[in-house]
């Protein structure tokens, strides 16, 4: 029998965990500011070009979950949009032609994902602006992209945090526990205040555990399933990530930013399910 005091215990534990994560986040943010001058300059350039330039524009964020195959992305062609990771493989990627694209995962820097992924995105989506992790700025493998006019640099903070600021500055760390959260942080800094999400199912790790497809495309299992220790770490971060989503949505709604789930699948019911008309505000 489950003790009736158990839910209260979990609420207290979540509160303590959140407080500790906020302290860690603040400490790491200070460390992240210890960048070389060229990295800081790249962040300032990104801020100058994009901050506040899309004020009060609705925008669609495309994840890589299986539900992305269940929606016609052509419906969003007239909206601002952004995509992440391997979206360029989607059969409707060129038809949507997202305005922005985000790659921040360390797998790209350590060789698990091929560096040619950047070239594939630039070639497949010739009008899309691509954002990379500024921690990679001085790495030799990224040198060919430093002068590219469609490559921009951001500094994602990788610690769970249930609070989401609507006044993000692109020349400082932005929230980035995962790439979709990072994308939302950046478009908030751009001024977007109505954000629809597609292909973000929230159950990818659990699908991996059940040996089910966890992305819209066919591919190998995630590295998180490669050993017991990586699985434990991934489960821990997944728990904090889902908790962060819930706190985020509540926090953003209180500040006048609306976020809705345009997909039919997945477990992301911490935000309302939207139709396209809910994103645009038009019937």
């Amino acid at each position: 029998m489950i003790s009736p005091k158990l839910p209260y215990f979990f609420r207290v534990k979540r509160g303590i965990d959140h407080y500790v994560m906020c302290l860690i986040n603040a400490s790491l943010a200070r460390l992240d500011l210890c960048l070389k001058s060229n990295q800081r300059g790249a962040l300032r350039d990104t801020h100058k070009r994009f901050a506040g330039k899309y004020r009060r524009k609705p925008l669609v964020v495309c994840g890589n979950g299986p539900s992305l195959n269940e929606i016609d992305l052509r419906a969003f062609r007239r909206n601002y949009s952004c995509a992440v990771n391997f979206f360029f493989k989607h059969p409707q990627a060129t038809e949507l032609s997202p305005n922005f694209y985000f790659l921040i995962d360390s797998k790209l820097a350590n060789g698990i994902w091929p560096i040619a992924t950047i070239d594939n995105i630039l070639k497949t989506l010739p009008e899309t602006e691509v954002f990379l992790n500024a921690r990679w700025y001085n790495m030799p493998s990224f040198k060919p992209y430093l002068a590219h006019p469609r490559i921009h640099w951001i500094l994602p903070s990788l610690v769970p945090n249930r609070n989401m600021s609507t006044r993000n500055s692109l020349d400082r760390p932005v929230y980035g526990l995962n790439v979709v959260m990072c994308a939302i942080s950046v478009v908030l800094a751009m001024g977007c205040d109505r954000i629809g999400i597609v292909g973000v199912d929230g159950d990818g790790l659990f699908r991996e555990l059940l040996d089910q497809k966890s992305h819209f495309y066919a591919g190998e299992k995630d590295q998180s399933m490669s050993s017991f220790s990586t699985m434990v770490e991934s489960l821990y971060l997944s728990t904090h990530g889902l908790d962060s989503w819930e706190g985020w949505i509540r926090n953003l709604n209180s500040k006048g930013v609306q976020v809705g789930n345009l997909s039919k699948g997945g477990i992301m019911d911490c935000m309302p399910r939207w139709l396209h008309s809910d994103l645009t505000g038009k019937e």
Side-chain angles (χ1 to χ4, degrees):
M1 181 177 179
I2 298 176
S3 168
K5 295 183 179 180
L6 203 56
Y8 175 75
F9 167 79
F10 278 123
R11 287 197 298 271
V12 172
K13 183 179 182 300
R14 286 173 67 184
I16 294 172
D17 285 348
H18 169 60
Y19 179 74
V20 171
M21 287 297 178
C22 284
L23 291 177
I24 295 173
N25 207 40
S27 300
L28 290 180
R30 290 189 178 92
L31 291 176
D32 275 332
L33 293 176
C34 299
L35 302 173
K36 293 184 177 181
S37 59
N38 58 355
Q39 291 170 298
R40 291 196 297 269
L43 294 176
R44 286 194 295 269
D45 290 342
T46 300
H47 181 78
K48 183 177 180 180
R49 178 164 179 178
F50 293 101
K53 298 298 175 64
Y54 298 86
R55 196 167 301 281
R56 302 202 179 283
K57 301 292 185 182
L59 178 138
V60 178
V61 180
C62 299
N64 286 184
S67 65
L68 201 65
N69 286 328
E70 301 172 7
I71 191 166
D72 187 353
L73 297 177
R74 292 173 297 183
F76 307 116
R77 283 182 295 186
R78 295 185 179 182
N79 300 111
Y80 287 101
S81 61
C82 68
V84 304
N85 292 353
F86 290 96
F87 175 82
F88 71 91
K89 294 183 176 182
H90 195 278
Q92 293 183 331
T94 55
E95 292 182 271
L96 180 65
S97 185
N99 302 85
F100 316 114
Y101 207 112
F102 295 85
L103 277 173
I104 64 165
D105 199 301
S106 60
K107 297 185 188 73
L108 190 65
N110 61 28
I112 296 174
W113 292 353
I115 196 73
T117 301
I118 302 174
D119 302 287
N120 290 331
I121 293 167
L122 293 170
K123 181 180 179 180
T124 305
L125 303 168
E127 298 181 1
T128 299
E129 307 289 340
V130 179
F131 294 80
L132 302 179
N133 192 328
R135 295 180 183 86
W136 309 333
Y137 191 86
N138 291 311
M139 296 176 65
S141 55
F142 290 89
K143 187 175 180 180
Y145 307 104
L146 297 185
H148 197 288
R150 290 194 287 124
I151 295 290
H152 314 283
W153 302 88
I154 54 175
L155 189 64
S157 175
L158 305 175
V159 178
N161 190 341
R162 297 176 71 196
N163 293 326
M164 164 54 70
S165 173
T166 57
R167 294 182 292 180
N168 301 312
S169 178
L170 297 179
D171 56 357
R172 299 180 66 83
V174 295
Y175 189 76
L177 176 63
N178 63 50
V179 68
V180 172
M181 289 180 164
C182 177
I184 294 175
S185 299
V186 173
V187 300
L188 284 171
M190 293 179 180
C192 299
D193 64 353
R194 196 168 187 85
I195 301 168
I197 296 174
V198 294
V200 179
D201 300 337
D203 57 0
L205 182 59
F206 310 108
R207 287 175 175 269
E208 294 273 356
L209 289 168
L210 295 171
D211 202 25
Q212 297 178 3
K213 187 176 178 181
S214 60
H215 296 89
F216 73 85
Y217 55 88
E220 297 180 357
K221 272 195 170 187
D222 192 86
Q223 190 188 18
S224 60
M225 297 292 104
S226 62
S227 70
F228 179 82
S229 59
T230 57
M231 182 184 68
V232 171
E233 180 182 352
S234 296
L235 284 168
Y236 177 78
L237 289 175
S238 179
T239 300
H240 279 287
L242 292 172
D243 187 51
S244 295
W245 271 111
E246 183 184 35
W248 258 34
I249 301 305
R250 187 185 308 112
N251 190 38
L252 290 177
N253 287 345
S254 70
K255 296 176 179 178
V257 176
Q258 301 300 311
V259 182
N261 190 347
L262 291 158
S263 297
K264 295 180 180 180
I267 62 172
M268 299 297 287
D269 291 327
C270 55
M271 63 189 86
R273 299 280 182 171
W274 277 1
L275 301 174
H276 186 221
S277 58
D278 295 312
L279 173 69
T280 60
K282 298 177 182 179
E283 296 294 334

